[in-house]
């Protein structure tokens, strides 16, 4: 009886000292980041913003590692571009790199991708460790409202088809003054909110009847300035200039043809 009790006690101690008590440990993740190693630092780098955040504190590293270990395998594909690279360092040696997509709350969709292309869902509470520090999202709370108000006006200027709907590609890839503070999910939500009965937002120029390109030159608490081009399938281009005064999230535009 005494031996049985000692065995049960040892088993309990072994379980409680694992990556996370009674939680499933993903062997693929553990094969990349060995939880027995005391990592020197974790570096999280934005894919759009020239900024990074480094985790040095041992307890923070351990907490982050525990959450990563518990990531679930996901078979679903994703069309979202990664928002961050997460790199684990043992001394000066980089041990592993993961891609991370911020803002995913559906646990059936991947938000973490390893170097071999394996997809996972990791509890997005890991964002508490870095996202606000890197992206300073509080500075650009009006970014969604800005794009929505601007693009809704632009789409209204596209001639409606007699039959069917127009397929429109929105090009804000180089609009860094604003997009650097948005995640892939933010941008998807913007495009999703502006679609209407006469317009479908497509993900490729090759699928589009019209290509809308936005380049913002001024974006602050009181003023926005942007140049917009609308190109149709015959390469005919309409150019517009938007100047807006903003109060909170409300923007009043002055618009003219260029």
């Amino acid at each position: 009886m005494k031996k049985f009790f000692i065995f049960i006690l040892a088993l309990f101690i072994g379980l409680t000292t694992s990556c996370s008590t009674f939680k499933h440990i993903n062997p693929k993740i553990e094969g990349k980041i060995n939880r027995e190693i005391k990592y020197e630092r974790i570096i999280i780098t934005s894919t759009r913003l020239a900024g990074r955040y480094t985790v040095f504190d041992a307890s923070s590293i351990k907490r982050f590692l525990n959450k990563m270990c518990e990531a679930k395998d996901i078979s679903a594909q994703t069309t979202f571009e990664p928002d961050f690279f997460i790199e684990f360092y043992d001394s000066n040696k980089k041990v592993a790199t993961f891609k991370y997509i911020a803002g995913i709350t559906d646990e059936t969709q991947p938000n973490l991708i390893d170097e071999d292309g394996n997809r996972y869902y990791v509890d997005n509470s890991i964002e508490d460790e870095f996202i606000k520090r890197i992206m300073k999202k509080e500075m650009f709370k009006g970014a969604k409202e800005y794009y929505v108000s601007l693009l809704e006006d632009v789409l209204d200027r596209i001639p409606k088809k007699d039959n069917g709907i127009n397929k429109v590609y929105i090009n804000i890839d180089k609009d860094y003054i604003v997009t650097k503070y948005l995640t892939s999910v933010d941008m998807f939500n913007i495009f999703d909110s502006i679609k209407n009965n006469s317009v479908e937002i497509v993900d490729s120029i090759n699928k589009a009847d019209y290509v809308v390109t936005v380049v913002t030159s001024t974006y602050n608490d009181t003023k926005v300035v942007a140049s917009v081009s609308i190109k149709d399938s015959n390469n005919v281009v309409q150019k517009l200039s938007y100047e807006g005064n903003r109060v909170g999230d409300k923007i009043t535009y002055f618009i003219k043809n260029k």
Side-chain angles (χ1 to χ4, degrees), residues 51-67:
R52 62 170 50 186
Y53 181 69
T54 303
V55 182
F56 287 110
D57 177 68
S59 61
S60 297
I61 291 174
K62 185 66 175 177
R63 182 171 61 247
F64 199 99
L65 179 63
N66 286 347
K67 290 178 181 177

PDB file of all heavy atoms in Angstrom, residues 51-67:
ATOM      1  N   GLY A  51       9.060  47.528 -35.738  1.00  0.00           N
ATOM      2  CA  GLY A  51       9.095  47.444 -34.280  1.00  0.00           C
ATOM      3  C   GLY A  51       9.162  46.004 -33.829  1.00  0.00           C
ATOM      4  O   GLY A  51       8.719  45.094 -34.532  1.00  0.00           O
ATOM      5  N   ARG A  52       9.732  45.803 -32.668  1.00  0.00           N
ATOM      6  CA  ARG A  52       9.817  44.466 -32.092  1.00  0.00           C
ATOM      7  C   ARG A  52       9.734  44.570 -30.583  1.00  0.00           C
ATOM      8  O   ARG A  52       9.953  45.625 -29.998  1.00  0.00           O
ATOM      9  CB  ARG A  52      11.101  43.761 -32.512  1.00  0.00           C
ATOM     10  CG  ARG A  52      12.377  44.450 -32.049  1.00  0.00           C
ATOM     11  CD  ARG A  52      13.623  43.598 -32.286  1.00  0.00           C
ATOM     12  NE  ARG A  52      13.715  43.074 -33.629  1.00  0.00           N
ATOM     13  CZ  ARG A  52      14.644  42.220 -34.034  1.00  0.00           C
ATOM     14  NH1 ARG A  52      15.546  41.798 -33.173  1.00  0.00           N
ATOM     15  NH2 ARG A  52      14.689  41.805 -35.278  1.00  0.00           N
ATOM     16  N   TYR A  53       9.392  43.443 -29.974  1.00  0.00           N
ATOM     17  CA  TYR A  53       9.319  43.385 -28.513  1.00  0.00           C
ATOM     18  C   TYR A  53      10.087  42.154 -28.064  1.00  0.00           C
ATOM     19  O   TYR A  53       9.929  41.073 -28.633  1.00  0.00           O
ATOM     20  CB  TYR A  53       7.868  43.315 -28.048  1.00  0.00           C
ATOM     21  CG  TYR A  53       7.719  43.284 -26.551  1.00  0.00           C
ATOM     22  CD1 TYR A  53       8.035  44.397 -25.787  1.00  0.00           C
ATOM     23  CD2 TYR A  53       7.285  42.124 -25.905  1.00  0.00           C
ATOM     24  CE1 TYR A  53       7.906  44.371 -24.402  1.00  0.00           C
ATOM     25  CE2 TYR A  53       7.160  42.093 -24.518  1.00  0.00           C
ATOM     26  CZ  TYR A  53       7.473  43.214 -23.786  1.00  0.00           C
ATOM     27  OH  TYR A  53       7.358  43.188 -22.412  1.00  0.00           O
ATOM     28  N   THR A  54      10.934  42.326 -27.068  1.00  0.00           N
ATOM     29  CA  THR A  54      11.749  41.223 -26.572  1.00  0.00           C
ATOM     30  C   THR A  54      11.341  40.870 -25.149  1.00  0.00           C
ATOM     31  O   THR A  54      11.242  41.747 -24.294  1.00  0.00           O
ATOM     32  CB  THR A  54      13.244  41.579 -26.605  1.00  0.00           C
ATOM     33  OG1 THR A  54      13.613  41.944 -27.935  1.00  0.00           O
ATOM     34  CG2 THR A  54      14.094  40.396 -26.160  1.00  0.00           C
ATOM     35  N   VAL A  55      11.087  39.587 -24.931  1.00  0.00           N
ATOM     36  CA  VAL A  55      10.749  39.079 -23.603  1.00  0.00           C
ATOM     37  C   VAL A  55      12.024  38.505 -22.987  1.00  0.00           C
ATOM     38  O   VAL A  55      12.595  37.546 -23.519  1.00  0.00           O
ATOM     39  CB  VAL A  55       9.659  37.996 -23.678  1.00  0.00           C
ATOM     40  CG1 VAL A  55       9.280  37.524 -22.283  1.00  0.00           C
ATOM     41  CG2 VAL A  55       8.430  38.500 -24.432  1.00  0.00           C
ATOM     42  N   PHE A  56      12.462  39.087 -21.861  1.00  0.00           N
ATOM     43  CA  PHE A  56      13.654  38.617 -21.149  1.00  0.00           C
ATOM     44  C   PHE A  56      13.309  37.934 -19.824  1.00  0.00           C
ATOM     45  O   PHE A  56      14.016  37.035 -19.378  1.00  0.00           O
ATOM     46  CB  PHE A  56      14.608  39.778 -20.845  1.00  0.00           C
ATOM     47  CG  PHE A  56      15.351  40.308 -22.046  1.00  0.00           C
ATOM     48  CD1 PHE A  56      15.060  41.555 -22.558  1.00  0.00           C
ATOM     49  CD2 PHE A  56      16.344  39.555 -22.661  1.00  0.00           C
ATOM     50  CE1 PHE A  56      15.738  42.052 -23.657  1.00  0.00           C
ATOM     51  CE2 PHE A  56      17.033  40.044 -23.753  1.00  0.00           C
ATOM     52  CZ  PHE A  56      16.730  41.299 -24.256  1.00  0.00           C
ATOM     53  N   ASP A  57      12.254  38.398 -19.186  1.00  0.00           N
ATOM     54  CA  ASP A  57      11.899  37.913 -17.856  1.00  0.00           C
ATOM     55  C   ASP A  57      11.627  36.410 -17.882  1.00  0.00           C
ATOM     56  O   ASP A  57      10.840  35.906 -18.692  1.00  0.00           O
ATOM     57  CB  ASP A  57      10.655  38.665 -17.370  1.00  0.00           C
ATOM     58  CG  ASP A  57      10.178  38.157 -16.024  1.00  0.00           C
ATOM     59  OD1 ASP A  57      10.874  38.363 -15.019  1.00  0.00           O
ATOM     60  OD2 ASP A  57       9.096  37.514 -15.994  1.00  0.00           O
ATOM     61  N   ALA A  58      12.277  35.680 -16.978  1.00  0.00           N
ATOM     62  CA  ALA A  58      12.210  34.213 -16.979  1.00  0.00           C
ATOM     63  C   ALA A  58      10.782  33.704 -16.778  1.00  0.00           C
ATOM     64  O   ALA A  58      10.346  32.765 -17.451  1.00  0.00           O
ATOM     65  CB  ALA A  58      13.132  33.652 -15.899  1.00  0.00           C
ATOM     66  N   SER A  59      10.040  34.318 -15.866  1.00  0.00           N
ATOM     67  CA  SER A  59       8.671  33.853 -15.610  1.00  0.00           C
ATOM     68  C   SER A  59       7.760  34.155 -16.800  1.00  0.00           C
ATOM     69  O   SER A  59       6.873  33.360 -17.129  1.00  0.00           O
ATOM     70  CB  SER A  59       8.114  34.496 -14.338  1.00  0.00           C
ATOM     71  OG  SER A  59       8.072  35.904 -14.461  1.00  0.00           O
ATOM     72  N   SER A  60       7.991  35.280 -17.474  1.00  0.00           N
ATOM     73  CA  SER A  60       7.193  35.619 -18.654  1.00  0.00           C
ATOM     74  C   SER A  60       7.500  34.659 -19.801  1.00  0.00           C
ATOM     75  O   SER A  60       6.601  34.239 -20.537  1.00  0.00           O
ATOM     76  CB  SER A  60       7.473  37.057 -19.098  1.00  0.00           C
ATOM     77  OG  SER A  60       7.087  37.983 -18.103  1.00  0.00           O
ATOM     78  N   ILE A  61       8.776  34.313 -19.957  1.00  0.00           N
ATOM     79  CA  ILE A  61       9.172  33.348 -20.984  1.00  0.00           C
ATOM     80  C   ILE A  61       8.515  31.999 -20.723  1.00  0.00           C
ATOM     81  O   ILE A  61       7.979  31.359 -21.631  1.00  0.00           O
ATOM     82  CB  ILE A  61      10.705  33.206 -21.045  1.00  0.00           C
ATOM     83  CG1 ILE A  61      11.340  34.485 -21.602  1.00  0.00           C
ATOM     84  CG2 ILE A  61      11.109  31.994 -21.902  1.00  0.00           C
ATOM     85  CD1 ILE A  61      12.858  34.494 -21.567  1.00  0.00           C
ATOM     86  N   LYS A  62       8.534  31.574 -19.467  1.00  0.00           N
ATOM     87  CA  LYS A  62       7.941  30.286 -19.108  1.00  0.00           C
ATOM     88  C   LYS A  62       6.446  30.284 -19.366  1.00  0.00           C
ATOM     89  O   LYS A  62       5.890  29.315 -19.908  1.00  0.00           O
ATOM     90  CB  LYS A  62       8.226  29.984 -17.626  1.00  0.00           C
ATOM     91  CG  LYS A  62       7.762  28.605 -17.170  1.00  0.00           C
ATOM     92  CD  LYS A  62       8.546  27.513 -17.863  1.00  0.00           C
ATOM     93  CE  LYS A  62       8.171  26.136 -17.329  1.00  0.00           C
ATOM     94  NZ  LYS A  62       8.882  25.067 -18.043  1.00  0.00           N
ATOM     95  N   ARG A  63       5.782  31.370 -19.008  1.00  0.00           N
ATOM     96  CA  ARG A  63       4.340  31.474 -19.223  1.00  0.00           C
ATOM     97  C   ARG A  63       4.017  31.427 -20.721  1.00  0.00           C
ATOM     98  O   ARG A  63       3.096  30.739 -21.155  1.00  0.00           O
ATOM     99  CB  ARG A  63       3.823  32.767 -18.606  1.00  0.00           C
ATOM    100  CG  ARG A  63       2.319  32.965 -18.736  1.00  0.00           C
ATOM    101  CD  ARG A  63       1.841  34.159 -17.925  1.00  0.00           C
ATOM    102  NE  ARG A  63       2.457  35.397 -18.366  1.00  0.00           N
ATOM    103  CZ  ARG A  63       3.322  36.110 -17.642  1.00  0.00           C
ATOM    104  NH1 ARG A  63       3.705  35.672 -16.443  1.00  0.00           N
ATOM    105  NH2 ARG A  63       3.819  37.241 -18.093  1.00  0.00           N
ATOM    106  N   PHE A  64       4.790  32.146 -21.505  1.00  0.00           N
ATOM    107  CA  PHE A  64       4.605  32.177 -22.959  1.00  0.00           C
ATOM    108  C   PHE A  64       4.846  30.777 -23.544  1.00  0.00           C
ATOM    109  O   PHE A  64       4.071  30.297 -24.384  1.00  0.00           O
ATOM    110  CB  PHE A  64       5.583  33.185 -23.562  1.00  0.00           C
ATOM    111  CG  PHE A  64       5.222  33.656 -24.942  1.00  0.00           C
ATOM    112  CD1 PHE A  64       4.576  34.870 -25.133  1.00  0.00           C
ATOM    113  CD2 PHE A  64       5.541  32.901 -26.056  1.00  0.00           C
ATOM    114  CE1 PHE A  64       4.249  35.312 -26.404  1.00  0.00           C
ATOM    115  CE2 PHE A  64       5.215  33.333 -27.324  1.00  0.00           C
ATOM    116  CZ  PHE A  64       4.567  34.541 -27.499  1.00  0.00           C
ATOM    117  N   LEU A  65       5.905  30.138 -23.090  1.00  0.00           N
ATOM    118  CA  LEU A  65       6.254  28.799 -23.560  1.00  0.00           C
ATOM    119  C   LEU A  65       5.140  27.803 -23.236  1.00  0.00           C
ATOM    120  O   LEU A  65       4.777  26.959 -24.065  1.00  0.00           O
ATOM    121  CB  LEU A  65       7.571  28.360 -22.917  1.00  0.00           C
ATOM    122  CG  LEU A  65       8.104  26.966 -23.275  1.00  0.00           C
ATOM    123  CD1 LEU A  65       8.419  26.880 -24.753  1.00  0.00           C
ATOM    124  CD2 LEU A  65       9.347  26.664 -22.455  1.00  0.00           C
ATOM    125  N   ASN A  66       4.585  27.893 -22.031  1.00  0.00           N
ATOM    126  CA  ASN A  66       3.503  26.992 -21.637  1.00  0.00           C
ATOM    127  C   ASN A  66       2.309  27.105 -22.576  1.00  0.00           C
ATOM    128  O   ASN A  66       1.720  26.095 -22.993  1.00  0.00           O
ATOM    129  CB  ASN A  66       3.052  27.293 -20.208  1.00  0.00           C
ATOM    130  CG  ASN A  66       4.047  26.800 -19.172  1.00  0.00           C
ATOM    131  OD1 ASN A  66       4.948  26.031 -19.488  1.00  0.00           O
ATOM    132  ND2 ASN A  66       3.896  27.248 -17.941  1.00  0.00           N
ATOM    133  N   LYS A  67       1.942  28.321 -22.916  1.00  0.00           N
ATOM    134  CA  LYS A  67       0.798  28.518 -23.810  1.00  0.00           C
ATOM    135  C   LYS A  67       1.097  27.979 -25.200  1.00  0.00           C
ATOM    136  O   LYS A  67       0.221  27.390 -25.854  1.00  0.00           O
ATOM    137  CB  LYS A  67       0.435  30.001 -23.875  1.00  0.00           C
ATOM    138  CG  LYS A  67      -0.170  30.528 -22.578  1.00  0.00           C
ATOM    139  CD  LYS A  67      -0.460  32.023 -22.675  1.00  0.00           C
ATOM    140  CE  LYS A  67      -1.034  32.545 -21.359  1.00  0.00           C
ATOM    141  NZ  LYS A  67      -1.269  34.015 -21.402  1.00  0.00           N
TER     142      LYS A  67
END
